[in-house]
């Protein structure tokens, strides 16, 4: 019975860690995309200002 409980805890912690990793990667992707969009808008604004 203790072995079952241990394997359940191990499985649960692996799932939690993988879920946390997934959310962290989603946050990183969001930040990178946001910075890229702002950089693109700034680049376009700079080009328009030269006209």
């Amino acid at each position: 019975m203790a072995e079952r409980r241990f394997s359940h805890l191990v499985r649960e912690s692996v799932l939690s860690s993988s879920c946390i990793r997934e959310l962290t990667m989603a946050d990183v992707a969001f930040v990178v995309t946001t910075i890229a969009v702002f950089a693109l808008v700034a680049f376009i604004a700079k080009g328009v200002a030269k006209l």
Side-chain angles (χ1 to χ4, degrees):
M1 181 148 158
E3 187 178 318
R4 243 195 219 164
R5 198 177 312 158
F6 177 74
S7 67
H8 176 71
L9 287 173
V10 168
R11 261 187 272 133
E12 196 174 285
S13 69
V14 167
L15 288 176
S16 297
S17 137
S18 125
C19 186
I20 289 171
R21 224 176 279 138
E22 229 175 85
L23 292 174
T24 303
M25 288 306 292
D27 289 343
V28 169
F30 176 76
V31 169
V32 168
T33 303
T34 303
I35 291 171
V37 167
F38 274 100
L40 182 63
V41 169
F43 182 70
I44 291 171
K46 202 175 194 179
V48 168
K50 286 184 178 180
L51 293 175

